[in-house]
Amino acid sequence: MKRDVYLSDRPLEEAQADYIQLLQQAGAINPGRPELIEVEKAAGRITAGPVYAKVSSPHYNASAMDGVAVRAVDTFGASENCPKRLKMGELVRMVDTGDPLPPGCDSVIMIEDIHFVAEDEFEITSAASPWQHVRVIGEDVVATEMIIPGNHRLRPVDLGGILAGGVTEIYVYPRPRVALLPTGSELVQPGAGLKEGDIIEYNTRVFAALVDEWGGLPIRYDITVDDYGLLKERLKSALDEADVVLINAGSSAGREDYTAELIAEMGEVFTHGVAIKPGKPVILGLVNGKPVVGVPGYPVSAVLGMELFVKPVVYRKIGSVPPARPLADCVMSRKIVSPMGVEEFVRVKLGRVGDKFIATPISRGAGVIMSMIRADGMLRVPRLSEGYNPGDVAPVELMRSLEEVRETTVVIGSHDMALDVLANYLRKIHPGASLSSAHVGSLGGLSALKRGEAHCAGTHLLDEETGDYNVSYIKRLLPGRSMVLLNLVYREQGFIVAKGNPKGITGVRDLIRPDVGYVNRQRGAGTRILLDYKLKEAGMDPGLISGYQREEYTHMAVAAAVASGSADAGMGIRAAAKALDLDFVGVVEERYDLCIPGEFRDLPYITRLLEVMELPEFREEVRSLGGYDLRDCGKIVWESE
């Protein structure tokens, strides 16, 4: 079947600005007809015009204190040396806070400043000034005064001011109705039984939450299978019902990607393809005077497309503009290579180490929704740049507050599942703190410590000569530094194989068999170093292993490769095999430590981790993962002289 590949490379800024201009000229993003609603239900809505007070607040002169209302002139002359006595009467009356000021009175003396000498007589030692402790008419709001301007997003305090001004109903812009059309024969609803090839349809659930957050009203349609005629009917219905239509998936150049063709038939395709990564195949269109956006199917591309192209449309439909995310200048912990001509959005983990904010890139795959969950910020690599080198400083859009980032313990190095458990319990007992774990291998972690980019590094580097772990590497890579090795766990390393071990793998010698496909860990990973040591010990050439050059960054990624059948074996920890119900061929028990610079050992970043390591429930959960021994957990097993 012929494919019409006509994706463009329109620059992002140009695509955004020109699309908004097109929609403005068509009147497609003008707010809808204002609607009258109760003030009590208006939080978060945008005012369609200014709101003026009908009454003053307070609407009478009111006492601001508990005490006695008086005429100020009657108190003149009172002092410590010459107290003045006043007798209760028409112009000397007891009042409580909020009471109307009696006629003729113009001041209130606090009850604390009064000394009663008789039941109806008291003395004072200082004079009252006119209108002292009195809330005069209109002190808060004056009748006819503008309380709130138009195009204002209403906050809870705004509602109080409006009601104080005697207004109970206001005009606001209607929430724009946004139709969400998921497409694809491979999609199934969440909770449905899955067969090979099925994909759970969750994108439009994410879209709905975003649209609601931005002030729109999401309308989610049922899944539309890959049928041009059916999709056309759904789009017609959506255009009748909604102000904005989003078609999810079908925006690329596959045989069943109909979105661009359909929008072009029914209206206008402004652009098909923007020079961004991920999210290039986004479609920006206009049909029947309404914005129609083809959102890519990959989840990260989809969320990015929503943020960049749909969010501005929704905000303008309610008479507002999207707020900008705060920025922070961050130091890059790893090299980031990006293609020229494309503006790339890189998800990063953040933490503060010393006086620097450190950004560590995480998975850049467009289909990895977990990268959006784990991300603390978004780094934009300009389209005329080829990326960043370690140590470069660049602005990062924050997806968490700076205060949260400041309270983050940054762990860079080898991956271990116990770190995830540690992070969970840290959050439980210290809700304001978190742990950021970046998986770059043991050597990469020690290098990060050398550059001052982490609070600690996960490491399990075997010294081939001594059989000890980590110490010789620290001495070589971090000479003269005050360093501490804190044990987290002992764990079983071995070969992760399919259930039942159908290839009969028993050791490293089986890896060179032509029927065995291997998946390796990345260079610098302690697991990779252990494998190389075992191969050297057996006198084997790594080049004979099919898949030796295939690299993954975590034990779970290795286990997933075996579970999927794309590899027959990979070295990793028993816990990863158990998590995916795979078999495991044990090779060695190794020590996994956290390497900590001496200057950090007594800071909260580390002391909070020690607190978690002492928790019985933390230890029990780690043991339940399988293949772990916590006999030295939380103990210092070595420190530099």
Side-chain angles (χ1 to χ4, degrees):
M1 184 178 291
K2 179 179 178 292
R3 298 192 186 197
D4 293 321
V5 182
Y6 54 100
L7 295 177
S8 63
D9 274 313
R10 190 186 291 265
L12 173 61
E13 297 85 355
E14 177 186 311
Q16 287 177 311
D18 290 354
Y19 187 51
I20 290 297
Q21 184 178 7
L22 171 74
L23 297 179
Q24 285 176 331
Q25 291 172 347
I29 51 176
N30 294 335
R33 184 187 298 275
E35 57 186 21
L36 187 65
I37 66 171
E38 296 177 29
V39 171
E40 294 178 24
K41 299 177 181 178
R45 302 294 294 273
I46 305 294
T47 53
V51 179
Y52 295 97
K54 292 182 177 179
V55 298
S56 295
S57 177
H59 60 274
Y60 59 90
N61 293 325
S63 173
M65 296 287 177
D66 295 336
V68 177
V70 297
R71 290 194 312 171
V73 68
D74 294 336
T75 69
F76 291 170
S79 68
E80 290 282 349
N81 296 325
C82 186
K84 191 159 192 176
R85 293 194 176 189
L86 297 174
K87 222 175 164 54
M88 293 296 180
E90 284 297 315
L91 298 178
V92 181
R93 301 268 297 274
M94 295 291 297
V95 290
D96 294 325
T97 301
D99 284 351
L101 202 66
C105 295
D106 63 3
S107 185
V108 173
I109 303 172
M110 290 192 302
I111 193 70
E112 294 92 330
D113 296 334
I114 292 171
H115 174 62
F116 279 92
V117 294
E119 186 174 339
D120 61 348
E121 188 177 11
F122 60 89
E123 65 180 20
I124 55 175
T125 57
S126 62
S129 58
W131 305 107
Q132 169 184 288
H133 303 316
V134 175
R135 295 192 67 213
V136 297
I137 292 173
E139 177 190 80
D140 192 358
V141 179
V142 178
T144 73
E145 176 185 5
M146 186 176 74
I147 303 171
I148 295 294
N151 284 38
H152 175 82
R153 186 180 291 271
L154 291 164
R155 304 163 297 173
V157 292
D158 297 330
L159 307 188
I162 294 170
L163 292 170
V167 179
T168 58
E169 293 182 321
I170 56 172
Y171 281 99
V172 296
Y173 288 124
R175 298 176 67 188
R177 295 162 297 172
V178 182
L180 313 174
L181 276 62
T183 70
S185 301
E186 71 280 9
L187 298 181
V188 296
Q189 299 291 2
L194 296 177
K195 64 180 185 300
E196 189 170 315
D198 287 346
I199 296 176
I200 297 172
E201 199 293 291
Y202 59 80
N203 273 352
T204 59
R205 274 77 175 179
V206 177
F207 296 174
L210 288 172
V211 168
D212 184 67
E213 181 181 288
W214 299 335
L217 184 65
I219 306 170
R220 192 169 52 79
Y221 280 62
D222 288 336
I223 295 167
T224 303
V225 298
D226 292 316
D227 180 280
Y228 190 89
L230 180 58
L231 181 58
K232 185 174 182 179
E233 289 304 313
R234 285 278 169 84
L235 178 54
K236 287 180 178 178
S237 297
L239 288 166
D240 289 339
E241 185 178 10
D243 304 299
V244 181
V245 179
L246 309 181
I247 304 175
N248 184 220
S251 65
S252 191
R255 291 172 298 174
E256 296 179 332
D257 289 337
Y258 302 134
T259 304
E261 182 183 351
L262 180 59
I263 295 174
E265 178 192 337
M266 297 180 63
E268 173 186 356
V269 172
F270 167 70
T271 190
H272 183 190
V274 178
I276 57 174
K277 179 183 178 182
K280 175 183 171 66
V282 67
I283 304 165
L284 307 177
L286 182 68
V287 181
N288 295 352
K290 296 180 179 181
V292 178
V293 179
V295 185
Y298 275 136
V300 178
S301 299
V303 171
L304 191 59
M306 291 289 290
E307 289 276 350
L308 294 175
F309 303 107
V310 179
K311 186 176 183 178
V313 170
V314 173
Y315 268 81
R316 281 168 173 78
K317 286 290 290 181
I318 57 174
S320 186
V321 293
R325 281 202 180 109
L327 298 173
D329 288 333
C330 300
V331 177
M332 302 298 109
S333 69
R334 298 217 309 256
K335 185 178 182 66
I336 299 174
V337 179
S338 186
M340 284 280 287
V342 174
E343 183 162 353
E344 183 171 8
F345 292 77
V346 181
R347 287 82 74 197
V348 295
K349 295 290 291 181
L350 299 175
R352 184 171 182 172
V353 182
D355 60 352
K356 299 181 293 186
F357 287 104
I358 307 298
T360 300
I362 51 182
S363 175
R364 293 161 79 175
V368 186
I369 188 65
M370 286 299 294
S371 67
M372 295 297 291
I373 294 172
R374 293 173 176 143
D376 301 322
M378 189 75 77
L379 170 70
R380 290 193 181 201
V381 183
R383 65 188 182 91
L384 299 181
S385 165
E386 293 184 298
Y388 296 99
N389 291 312
D392 285 351
V393 178
V396 171
E397 295 180 16
L398 299 178
M399 298 164 71
R400 286 200 299 153
S401 71
L402 270 183
E403 187 55 39
E404 286 184 275
V405 173
R406 289 189 183 98
E407 293 301 312
T408 298
T409 301
V410 181
V411 183
I412 297 179
S414 173
H415 168 249
D416 189 85
M417 294 166 67
L419 288 175
D420 297 331
V421 183
L422 189 67
N424 179 53
Y425 279 94
L426 173 65
R427 195 75 170 180
K428 275 188 175 181
I429 64 175
H430 293 287
S434 62
L435 184 149
S436 170
S437 177
H439 311 136
V440 299
S442 297
L443 287 175
L446 296 182
S447 296
L449 292 182
K450 187 175 183 177
R451 296 191 300 268
E453 296 170 355
H455 298 117
C456 58
T459 177
H460 59 109
L461 294 165
L462 174 66
D463 188 319
E464 297 180 11
E465 295 182 2
T466 67
D468 195 9
Y469 281 89
N470 303 320
V471 175
S472 63
Y473 292 88
I474 294 171
K475 289 180 177 179
R476 185 172 77 250
L477 297 174
L478 299 162
R481 292 278 303 274
S482 172
M483 307 300 295
V484 172
L485 279 178
L486 179 75
N487 180 252
L488 181 60
V489 292
Y490 291 85
R491 62 188 194 178
E492 288 186 73
Q493 279 268 30
F495 294 112
I496 300 172
V497 297
K499 190 71 172 176
N501 194 6
K503 294 292 178 76
I505 296 167
T506 60
V508 292
R509 294 194 179 278
D510 293 311
L511 302 183
I512 62 173
R513 285 167 30 198
D515 64 326
V516 173
Y518 189 73
V519 56
N520 211 350
R521 287 293 303 279
Q522 79 278 19
R523 291 179 182 273
T527 301
R528 171 81 163 256
I529 291 172
L530 173 62
L531 173 69
D532 291 344
Y533 169 67
K534 289 296 181 182
L535 293 173
K536 181 180 177 182
E537 191 178 56
M540 294 172 55
D541 178 6
L544 298 177
I545 300 175
S546 175
Y548 181 84
Q549 301 302 326
R550 178 184 176 185
E551 297 181 348
E552 295 289 354
Y553 280 81
T554 68
H555 296 283
M556 286 304 297
V558 170
V562 175
S564 70
S566 65
D568 299 305
M571 182 164 273
I573 57 176
R574 179 183 289 274
K578 180 181 177 183
L580 296 186
D581 194 28
L582 300 169
D583 274 4
F584 183 79
V585 179
V587 172
V588 68
E589 181 190 67
E590 65 175 10
R591 197 180 79 207
Y592 181 94
D593 299 327
L594 297 178
C595 183
I596 305 165
E599 63 266 29
F600 295 144
R601 65 184 294 179
D602 295 323
L603 295 181
Y605 299 113
I606 303 302
T607 58
R608 287 190 290 238
L609 301 187
L610 289 169
E611 185 180 347
V612 173
M613 291 180 197
E614 292 297 322
L615 295 174
E617 54 268 42
F618 161 75
R619 295 181 174 227
E620 182 57 35
E621 185 167 337
V622 172
R623 289 191 188 98
S624 70
L625 297 175
Y628 286 111
D629 189 312
L630 284 77
R631 59 184 180 270
D632 288 332
C633 180
K635 293 182 181 178
I636 294 175
V637 293
W638 176 85
E639 57 184 311
S640 59
E641 296 179 358

